[in-house]
Amino acid sequence: MFHNTLDIAQAVRELQAEGWKVEPEDLAEVSPYLTEKIMRFGEYSTHELDLAPEAYEPHLDVDFTVLGDDEAAVA
């Protein structure tokens, strides 16, 4: 799930770099918790386990304060 969150954040940064305006309501509709195609017991690659990940940058340039109470509860 953390990896999916990183992928979503990277996609948001790329959209912003291309000039797209990303609204908090848009991100409230995206979930990093995917349940499709989960293979609970198999086919996990281990050949990349020794690779160090890139540094994690948690900041997204999106103003979440505009979400109302109802929308914040959904997010």
Side-chain angles (χ1 to χ4, degrees), residues 14-63:
E14 289 174 7
L15 288 170
Q16 289 174 328
E18 292 175 9
W20 289 87
K21 174 103 171 113
V22 178
E23 300 292 340
E25 294 85 5
D26 300 330
L27 294 177
E29 298 295 323
V30 179
S31 172
Y33 183 65
L34 304 177
T35 56
E36 293 179 16
K37 301 180 184 176
I38 290 179
M39 295 182 297
R40 188 171 168 201
F41 296 111
E43 297 190 36
Y44 294 97
S45 174
T46 57
H47 70 281
E48 296 178 342
L49 289 177
D50 60 339
L51 299 177
E54 295 179 16
Y56 172 62
E57 170 56 61
H59 177 73
L60 288 178
D61 191 20
V62 176
D63 181 14

